[in-house]
Amino acid sequence: QVQLVESGGGLVQAGGSLRLSCAASGRTFSISNYAMGWFRQAPGKEREFVGGINRSGSSTYYADSVKGRFTISRESAKNTVYLQMNSLKGEDTARYYCAAQWGGSARMTSGGIDYWGKGTLVTVSS
């Protein structure tokens, strides 16, 4: 059974930073075989792509709304993916979900996701 468990969310002031973590587990699950990414969903809105990293870690892709502010990275030895979020804005307030896609590219779409985490809430106060 594969589990993606997010952590690191919370309340932060506008302009501040947070680092989200996604710890993956499962008997044979290795993030080295998956593109890993982050999506978010704000109240009353659809889930949207935030950023992704390919299986080798050689390529990343970001939504225009977070480009230059957010950075995704992975640590294969720990089966963990991170999302560093800087210069946070009120519109970044959402539940953030970790996602895994078998052999996918960094440019992930929600329809192609194999595994989802349950999410962690990020609230940015302005």
Side-chain angles (χ1 to χ4, degrees), residues 27-49:
R27 193 170 65 88
T28 59
F29 185 89
S30 170
I31 64 171
S32 298
N33 294 322
Y34 290 81
M36 301 295 296
W38 294 88
F39 290 72
R40 68 185 181 186
Q41 188 167 20
K45 294 188 176 181
E46 293 187 353
R47 191 173 299 190
E48 64 175 1
F49 172 75

